Amino acid sequence: MTAMTWDGLVRVRGGDVWAADSGGDRPPLVLLHPGVGDSRIWDGLLPELTRRHRVIRYDVRGYGRSPRPTTAYSNLADLYAVLDHFGLHRVHLVGCSMGGGTALGLALRQPERAASLVLVCPGVPGYPWPAEPEADAEYDRLVAADDLDGLTAFGLREWAAAGSDPAAVAQLRSAARAWPGEDLHQQPDPPVFGRLGELTGIPATVLIGDLDRRPAIDCAEQTAARLRCELLRLPGVDHLPPLRTPDAILRVIDKPATR
C-alpha cells in the first residue's frame, strides 16, 4: 500500500476523525467511504491514484480508525472540517454509497468546492428508499443484543452478493462496529435527491453494480438521469465496487475533469 505523508486525528466538532494525506501539489482528490466499510476500501486504488493526485481519505466517526461518536454530528459538517484542516478549497470527490451522498451534499451547498464527482453506488439523502420492516426488525434485534457477528453476517447478506471473501468480511465487520453509534448520534444531512437537477456545472459519473440491491440500482439510475450524466454499469459487482473492480473506478476518476 502507498505510504501517506501524514495521517492522524483531525479535530471535528465534538470529536475526532482519522484522516490521511498523500501530500504533494497534484490535484486534490478526496475519497469518501461507504456505510458498509471504512477508508481501507480504497487501498487497492491508492498506488495509482497517488501518482496523479494528492489523495485525502478519512474514516467517518466510529468507522475504521476513527473514535466512536459521543455527541451529535453530521457527515457533511465533518467533511468540511477535514477539507479545512488540510487547507483545501476545491477538490475532486469520489464517494461510495454513504460517501456519495456526502459528496452530493457538499456540491449542492458549495458547488465552487467540487471540481468533479464520481458517485459509486451512491446513497442519496432524500431518495425514497422502500420500507423494509422485516430487515429493519432483524437489524434492531442484532443491535439490541450487541451481536457483532450477527450484524456482520446481516451486512454481508444484504450488500455483498458477489461473495463473502476476507476483504468483504473485514469491511462489513468494521461497519457493523460503527452502526450502533451512528444510529445514536448521526444527524441526517439535508435531502439532496429532489435538488439534483441544480447541479449543472459539475462533471459527474455514476457507477452501479448489477449485483447490487434493486433499490440501490434504481437510486443510481435516477441519480444519473437527474444529473444528466453517464451511468456506468459494472457486471458481477455488488455494493463494494472499490473492492470488486478497482480498475473500473480508476478509469473513471480522471474522466470527468477532462470532459
Side-chain angles (χ1 to χ4, degrees):
M1 191 186 77
T2 301
M4 292 290 173
T5 61
W6 185 93
D7 74 85
L9 293 179
V10 171
R11 189 67 183 167
V12 293
R13 183 175 182 179
D16 300 279
V17 297
W18 177 90
D21 177 11
S22 69
D25 58 0
R26 298 177 178 89
L29 175 75
V30 178
L31 303 174
L32 303 169
H33 70 76
V36 293
D38 60 40
S39 67
R40 287 170 289 196
I41 202 169
W42 305 110
D43 282 356
L45 290 77
L46 289 178
E48 185 63 30
L49 286 179
T50 53
R51 294 190 185 101
R52 307 193 301 271
H53 298 274
R54 176 185 175 185
V55 178
I56 292 90
R57 59 179 176 146
Y58 66 95
D59 287 322
V60 169
R61 299 194 206 197
Y63 289 81
R65 288 153 282 196
S66 287
R68 292 180 178 178
T70 58
T71 188
Y73 71 96
S74 153
N75 283 341
L76 184 54
D78 285 357
L79 172 57
Y80 285 130
V82 171
L83 295 182
D84 291 344
H85 173 86
F86 291 111
L88 298 171
H89 176 70
R90 183 172 170 82
V91 298
H92 299 278
L93 294 160
V94 182
C96 182
S97 189
M98 172 179 72
T102 306
L104 285 166
L106 180 140
L108 275 163
R109 183 174 291 181
Q110 294 188 333
E112 71 279 2
R113 301 192 76 169
S116 67
L117 296 166
V118 175
L119 305 169
V120 185
C121 53
V124 183
Y127 177 75
W129 195 272
E132 299 177 300
E134 292 184 5
D136 290 345
E138 179 182 358
Y139 172 84
D140 290 342
R141 287 195 300 270
L142 293 167
V143 169
D146 195 24
D147 187 349
L148 179 59
D149 290 339
L151 280 171
T152 302
F154 172 86
L156 289 165
R157 187 191 73 217
E158 295 292 311
W159 301 109
S164 298
D165 56 277
V169 172
Q171 284 291 299
L172 266 301
R173 192 169 186 84
S174 176
R177 284 194 295 267
W179 290 338
E182 183 177 73
D183 293 343
L184 284 173
H185 298 294
Q186 183 182 320
Q187 303 300 298
D189 288 320
V192 300
F193 182 71
R195 297 182 57 200
L196 292 176
E198 299 175 27
L199 289 173
T200 58
I202 302 172
T205 304
V206 177
L207 300 89
I208 189 68
D210 65 358
L211 295 183
D212 210 333
R213 300 186 63 210
R214 185 68 245 177
I217 294 173
D218 292 343
C219 177
E221 292 173 344
Q222 294 185 48
T223 297
R226 291 178 178 225
L227 291 174
R228 296 181 294 279
C229 74
E230 179 183 13
L231 174 66
L232 181 62
R233 300 180 188 273
L234 305 171
V237 174
D238 50 23
H239 206 63
L240 301 167
L243 289 185
R244 309 305 194 188
T245 181
D247 288 346
I249 298 175
L250 286 170
R251 286 193 294 269
V252 171
I253 282 175
D254 281 330
K255 191 175 176 182
T258 59
R259 278 198 213 159

